[in-house]
Amino acid sequence: MNDLNDLLDQGSEWGPWLVDIAIGLAAGIVIFFVGRFLAKKIAKWCERRMLKSNVDKAVAGFTSSIVYALIFAASTLMALGQVGVQTTSFIAILGAAGLAIGLALQGSLSNFASGVLIILLRPFRAGDFIDAAGQMGVVDRIELFHTELKTPDNRVVIIPNSSIMGGSIVNFSREATRRLDLVIGISYDADIRLAKELLEGILNSEDRILKDPAYVIAVGELADSSVNFNVRPWVKSEDYWGVRADLLEKIKYTFDENGVGIPYPQMDVHVTKAD
């Protein structure tokens, strides 16, 4: 009987402590999930506001990612504080383990640092067509650790930021104009003057070709089986591929109609009959 009374007395002593733990745990869980929900909402709100203010889409996406990470980290620390974890000690432990974490996550940290450099240096913007890390596509988003490209056939390519900043970046959309570099070969039997006149006529009839800078048509090489013309007109960047395809088609039709031969590789086989 005395043992039972002792257990009841101990339960009455532990009861308030257990209640406090349960309340703190419940509050911590609520704070964690509410904080994560608010982090998503606030990050999306910031991105929408920045886009309405004509901020570059890539910058808006990168900034919203940082806002989400900061709010989520703050809510996590608040939740741990409610549970009873000493956040100051927890932060100190994280600081002491920072070196180990940095070594383990040096790739991720490098991607983050490269993302910051992309935002600061602005080698490209959202919507630019670039060639980076061996991939070509239109920049869709710049995140904390990676950049998303959309290829012409609508594939999404995710490239680590460090891979982009660690190599060459070719931005095809930065300038308003681009030069077409076409090499058109004619046979040695063809009339060079006629071929040049035909090329000039084709370029002059194309409205999308810019007058300034002026185009260039010049013999570039006397090759093994052809006389090669360098045809270099200037166009707007958005017209590049359309003009290129149309010019090649018009040149082929025009040369065929006027008897200007375009050579192609041939092989002559001589068969000798032995006695």
Side-chain angles (χ1 to χ4, degrees):
M1 191 68 180
N2 292 330
D3 294 339
L4 180 59
N5 290 331
D6 292 338
L7 290 174
L8 292 175
D9 292 338
Q10 292 177 1
S12 62
E13 294 176 358
W14 285 90
W17 181 77
L18 292 175
V19 172
D20 291 340
I21 291 179
I23 293 175
L25 182 61
I29 294 174
V30 171
I31 291 174
F32 176 80
F33 285 104
V34 171
R36 189 175 68 172
F37 174 79
L38 290 177
K40 292 180 179 179
K41 291 295 183 181
I42 294 174
K44 290 182 179 179
W45 179 81
C46 289
E47 183 175 4
R48 287 196 300 268
R49 293 296 300 176
M50 295 178 73
L51 291 176
K52 287 182 179 179
S53 301
N54 295 324
V55 176
D56 185 57
K57 180 182 177 183
V59 176
F62 188 81
T63 304
S64 65
S65 299
I66 293 178
V67 170
Y68 173 80
L70 292 176
I71 297 176
F72 181 75
S75 60
T76 301
L77 291 176
M78 292 174 61
L80 291 174
Q82 287 294 323
V83 174
V85 177
Q86 295 295 325
T87 54
T88 54
S89 301
F90 185 73
I91 294 174
I93 292 172
L94 287 180
L99 179 60
I101 295 174
L103 292 174
L105 301 177
Q106 55 182 320
S108 298
L109 294 177
S110 176
N111 289 327
F112 175 76
S114 298
V116 173
L117 288 176
I118 290 174
I119 295 300
L120 293 177
L121 301 179
R122 308 298 295 277
F124 51 80
R125 302 170 181 265
D128 285 353
F129 186 80
I130 67 170
D131 181 355
Q135 300 290 337
M136 298 179 65
V138 177
V139 179
D140 185 43
R141 291 180 63 87
I142 302 174
E143 298 290 350
L144 285 176
F145 304 108
H146 66 268
T147 296
E148 295 183 6
L149 303 182
K150 282 189 176 180
T151 62
D153 57 349
N154 208 31
R155 290 177 295 132
V156 176
V157 181
I158 299 175
I159 307 175
N161 289 331
S162 59
S163 298
I164 294 177
M165 293 302 293
S168 299
I169 302 172
V170 181
N171 191 332
F172 297 99
S173 304
R174 174 65 65 86
E175 301 296 333
T177 59
R178 288 183 63 185
R179 190 183 73 182
L180 277 164
D181 290 324
L182 302 178
V183 178
I184 306 299
I186 63 172
S187 64
Y188 275 94
D189 296 334
D191 188 339
I192 293 180
R193 294 185 184 87
L194 174 61
K196 189 172 183 178
E197 290 175 359
L198 294 175
L199 291 172
E200 289 175 348
I202 293 171
L203 297 186
N204 290 330
S205 65
E206 177 55 66
D207 296 333
R208 290 171 294 179
I209 292 178
L210 303 177
K211 305 302 180 184
D212 185 23
Y215 61 77
V216 173
I217 301 175
V219 176
E221 183 184 13
L222 300 177
D224 293 339
S225 58
S226 64
V227 177
N228 294 334
F229 279 94
N230 290 332
V231 181
R232 295 173 176 172
W234 288 83
V235 297
K236 293 181 179 179
S237 296
E238 60 267 23
D239 295 334
Y240 181 88
W241 292 107
V243 174
R244 185 180 188 277
D246 290 344
L247 284 182
L248 292 175
E249 183 176 349
K250 290 178 181 178
I251 290 171
K252 179 63 170 66
Y253 286 147
T254 304
F255 279 12
D256 288 348
E257 292 171 358
N258 291 272
V260 177
I262 298 178
Y264 52 88
Q266 302 182 50
M267 179 181 294
D268 292 335
V269 179
H270 300 274
V271 179
T272 302
K273 184 177 180 181
D275 294 336

